[in-house]
Amino acid sequence: MTTDTTVAEAGPTPRARLSPRKRKKISLGIQYALFVVVIAALVLAADWQSIQHVFFNVNEAKKAFPEILTIGMRNTVIYTVSGYVLGFFLGLVVALMRLSDVLPYRIIALFYIEIFRGLPAIVVFVIFGFGVPIAFDDFELPYDPYGTVALALGLVSAAYLAETFRAGIQAVPKGQIEAARSLGMSQTRSTVTVVIPQAIRIVVPPLTNELILLFKDSSLVFAIGFTLGSYELYKFGESLSTQTANSTPLILAGAFYLCLTVPLGYLVRKLEARQKRGRV
Amino acid sequence: MTHAVQLIGLHKSFGDLEVLKGIDLTVEQGQVVCVIGPSGSGKSTLLRCVNLLEQPTAGQVFVHGAELTDIDVDIDAARRRLGMVFQQFNLFGHLSVLDNVTIAQRRVLKRPKREAAEIAMRNLEKVGVAEKAKQYPAQLSGGQQQRVAIARALSMDPAVMLFDEPTSALDPELVGDVLGVMRQLANEGMTMLVVTHEMQFAREVGDAVLFMDEGLVVEQGPPAQVISAPQHERTREFLHRVLNPTHLDEEAAAPQ
Ligand SMILES: Nc1ncnc2c1ncn2[C@@H]1O[C@H](COP(=O)(O)OP(=O)(O)O)[C@@H](O)[C@H]1O
Ligand SMILES: [Mg+2]
């Protein structure tokens, strides 16, 4: 074999000075070298003492405990999970309305999705925190502020979740509905028994992704205006950072967000891989 | 006596495309009627009009004397009397084999869980896949899936079974199992309307064969006549192609 190739290459076609393989190797070498130079420059230029003092200050970090967990982390989880549960069911309803035969339903769903997907979440939260109490006198949701936050986050996430559910419902093969109908199931019965369970299975990865996004969006509920007991991770870290003129609590809050979101991201990749295998 | 199935002047159009151009058809109680014809001739559409998965554009459908095309009919109730088996099986992928066969019994007929499971197991045994009851459709071969689909339809106690090319999606060595189950059903006296390309099955099991082309019934009668001694040129041509698929190339090459 080796003799074959050498004969061929030594033949009539003049040999290139560098083969594509060698050129690629050299190009990659240059890229790595550049990368190392940039990192080295940044490391040398940085003031490591100040960085450690302001961002990774062990004494300041100690002061944040245990409240950063018992108040901040706890509230972040409560807000996000309650908002997600609400958004899940509302999103499912909106998705079904969006796919309904009834025109008014479709229009309402479309408006809902466009408005809540188009508005920055913080605008919705500000309106909720200040607008609603003014508009509806003495109106108070149960378990405040948890009720208000769950509703605000639920309304925002429902718009995204509705689009995800719609994609899932449309991905269920038509034959599934036909089989259900041929067995005497009504339209509604087929949707509940056959379509929705399969649609949800199909969209589990993007649904988990949206839970990650909601963990981050929950940091915006500070706009609703709270007392200390209801601070979530971001607000807790931010206020402590301001008090102490040191950014360490905020860095710590960021680290705890990652503790929540990175495992979820890992889960999404696992689920996607499993789905790929299952589809074969 | 009323007919098991009666179609009168059935028309179906999809937009400008007229797929069924006036079909009259009767199936008597206990009869097996096989529908044959080239791809695209409207066989599936015909079958789907019988249980109103497609709404006919014109014409009437009667099942045991009751009109399904009556606009005030409870179509969900009417469909329970018609079992349907699809080319692509269409088992519910998220449910186990047993749940596939019990779900409609429980949700539609409101049978208690135990009773539904007993009926399901009886039908799964009948089609020879009882040992797969706990598995999921994706774990089964095509032939096994199709037999589960038959058991699922049978568990609703249908008066008539509709089959739309039930063996066309199967590997050749699995076709026999499914045809065997259908043969057994026919012997037990089930009324069946079967779209198929299995000429031997049509010849041996069918009481009548009906040849369709371009939305019309071209020829119908006992299998001995339609399959063995077709009267119409189009039927002869079709049968020739189906029965001697390998000759096609020779003919295509020959005319020069
Ligand atoms: N839902 C539909 N919308 C539009 N055209 C359709 C639909 N279903 C079937 N057709 C058309 O009707 C014709 C007959 O289809 P079909 O009944 O499936 O034929 P067969 O089962 O005999 O192969 C085909 O031309 C097909 O493209
Ligand atoms: Mg067909």
Side-chain angles (χ1 to χ4, degrees):
Chain A
M1 238 191 78
T2 37
T3 45
D4 263 13
T5 41
T6 34
V7 170
E9 279 170 0
T13 32
R15 193 172 172 165
R17 223 155 40 82
L18 283 173
S19 72
R21 186 183 61 87
K22 282 181 185 154
R23 258 182 306 194
K24 195 171 163 190
K25 212 168 154 188
I26 290 169
S27 149
L28 207 57
I30 293 171
Q31 287 171 41
Y32 284 148
L34 255 165
F35 182 70
V36 170
V37 168
V38 169
I39 295 290
L42 285 175
V43 168
L44 291 176
D47 178 350
W48 285 104
Q49 220 153 26
S50 309
I51 287 176
Q52 201 202 350
H53 179 76
V54 178
F55 294 105
F56 301 99
N57 192 319
V58 179
N59 285 332
E60 294 297 334
K62 277 181 185 158
K63 284 186 216 158
F65 285 95
E67 286 81 7
I68 194 163
L69 290 174
T70 57
I71 295 177
M73 184 84 145
R74 177 172 170 273
N75 282 331
T76 286
V77 170
I78 292 175
Y79 293 162
T80 306
V81 170
S82 60
Y84 191 78
V85 169
L86 200 75
F88 192 94
F89 289 103
L90 188 59
L92 197 51
V93 170
V94 173
L96 290 171
M97 285 172 71
R98 181 95 168 73
L99 295 169
S100 160
D101 291 331
V102 186
L103 183 65
Y105 284 172
R106 288 206 301 276
I107 292 174
I108 293 170
L110 190 66
F111 263 83
Y112 181 89
I113 290 168
E114 291 305 337
I115 288 172
F116 280 94
R117 196 174 52 176
L119 282 177
I122 196 160
V123 173
V124 177
F125 298 153
V126 170
I127 291 171
F128 249 74
F130 303 104
V132 172
I134 294 170
F136 305 94
D137 222 8
D138 286 339
F139 174 80
E140 213 173 284
L141 280 161
Y143 305 111
D144 250 1
Y146 295 105
T148 311
V149 171
L151 194 57
L153 282 173
L155 286 174
V156 170
S157 59
Y160 290 96
L161 292 167
E163 285 296 89
T164 304
F165 283 129
R166 181 171 69 97
I169 290 169
Q170 287 176 325
V172 175
K174 230 177 136 227
Q176 294 286 308
I177 303 166
E178 291 181 348
R181 298 306 301 271
S182 79
L183 289 164
M185 293 189 201
S186 66
Q187 170 98 52
T188 311
R189 170 52 70 195
S190 321
T191 304
V192 171
T193 311
V194 173
V195 178
I196 291 177
Q198 297 196 57
I200 291 178
R201 275 173 177 76
I202 293 171
V203 295
V204 161
L207 286 179
T208 314
N209 240 334
E210 267 139 27
L211 179 60
I212 295 175
L213 295 180
L214 201 62
F215 266 114
K216 297 193 291 170
D217 273 354
S218 72
S219 66
L220 299 171
V221 296
F222 72 83
I224 291 176
F226 283 146
T227 52
L228 176 66
S230 51
Y231 281 4
E232 39 64 61
L233 260 180
Y234 164 73
K235 186 63 186 169
F236 185 92
E238 188 264 349
S239 70
L240 199 60
S241 289
T242 315
Q243 270 173 43
T244 57
N246 186 292
S247 297
T248 305
L250 205 48
I251 294 285
L252 208 53
F256 281 120
Y257 274 110
L258 292 180
C259 288
L260 293 168
T261 54
V262 170
L264 281 172
Y266 177 75
L267 184 67
V268 173
R269 284 193 295 278
K270 278 267 175 212
L271 290 167
E272 278 172 346
R274 203 182 70 175
Q275 223 169 45
K276 225 174 235 166
R277 282 202 307 274
R279 285 284 166 81
V280 180
Chain B
M1 203 190 88
T2 56
H3 308 290
V5 177
Q6 185 176 25
L7 310 182
I8 302 173
L10 201 71
H11 284 77
K12 175 67 189 178
S13 301
F14 295 106
D16 289 338
L17 180 69
E18 193 176 21
V19 176
L20 299 180
K21 301 170 180 168
I23 305 265
D24 298 298
L25 163 73
T26 51
V27 183
E28 305 299 345
Q29 174 85 43
Q31 258 196 336
V32 176
V33 173
C34 293
V35 180
I36 60 174
S39 171
S41 57
K43 306 181 298 296
S44 296
T45 306
L46 172 72
L47 219 55
R48 295 156 57 81
C49 279
V50 174
N51 70 357
L52 262 71
L53 280 181
E54 299 288 358
Q55 183 71 43
T57 318
Q60 290 172 295
V61 177
F62 294 90
V63 174
H64 283 282
E67 185 182 352
L68 267 56
T69 34
D70 180 344
I71 50 170
D72 285 324
V73 79
D74 177 354
I75 189 61
D76 298 323
R79 280 205 191 100
R80 283 174 220 161
R81 318 196 57 197
L82 295 159
M84 184 148 185
V85 175
F86 301 86
Q87 187 174 348
Q88 299 296 339
F89 330 134
N90 295 352
L91 292 183
F92 304 132
H94 64 301
L95 297 176
S96 70
V97 164
L98 184 63
D99 289 342
N100 260 279
V101 184
T102 55
I103 188 90
Q105 293 188 63
R106 298 189 55 207
R107 299 283 183 271
V108 177
L109 301 179
K110 308 291 179 200
R111 282 183 184 149
K113 190 174 176 168
R114 276 247 335 252
E115 189 192 345
E118 278 168 19
I119 293 171
M121 287 312 296
R122 213 162 45 229
N123 282 300
L124 287 171
E125 260 158 43
K126 182 173 182 166
V127 300
V129 285
E131 78 280 8
K132 304 285 180 190
K134 295 247 159 54
Q135 306 210 3
Y136 282 79
Q139 299 169 290
L140 270 53
S141 75
Q144 290 166 340
Q145 288 190 52
Q146 192 61 296
R147 284 182 282 155
V148 172
I150 293 173
R152 178 175 70 175
L154 289 177
S155 296
M156 301 297 285
D157 301 326
V160 178
M161 286 285 286
L162 310 173
F163 292 85
D164 189 2
E165 297 196 32
T167 58
S168 294
L170 298 179
D171 291 337
E173 80 270 22
L174 304 175
V175 169
D177 292 340
V178 172
L179 290 182
V181 168
M182 291 169 63
R183 200 180 284 258
Q184 184 192 343
L185 275 182
N187 288 339
E188 290 170 5
M190 176 60 79
T191 310
M192 295 160 59
L193 184 55
V194 184
V195 174
T196 186
H197 288 299
E198 298 292 334
M199 291 307 150
Q200 199 183 340
F201 176 86
R203 196 156 22 201
E204 293 173 12
V205 183
D207 296 299
V209 171
L210 191 145
F211 173 69
M212 263 182 83
D213 195 17
E214 298 185 350
L216 285 168
V217 176
V218 176
E219 183 163 0
Q220 60 180 312
Q225 182 198 314
V226 178
I227 297 178
S228 308
Q231 303 296 304
H232 290 259
E233 182 52 38
R234 275 196 282 176
T235 318
R236 273 199 287 272
E237 225 172 76
F238 170 76
L239 285 168
H240 182 72
R241 268 186 288 139
V242 172
L243 297 173
N244 315 291
T246 46
H247 289 194
L248 255 182
D249 298 338
E250 294 169 25
E251 271 169 34
Q256 306 302 344

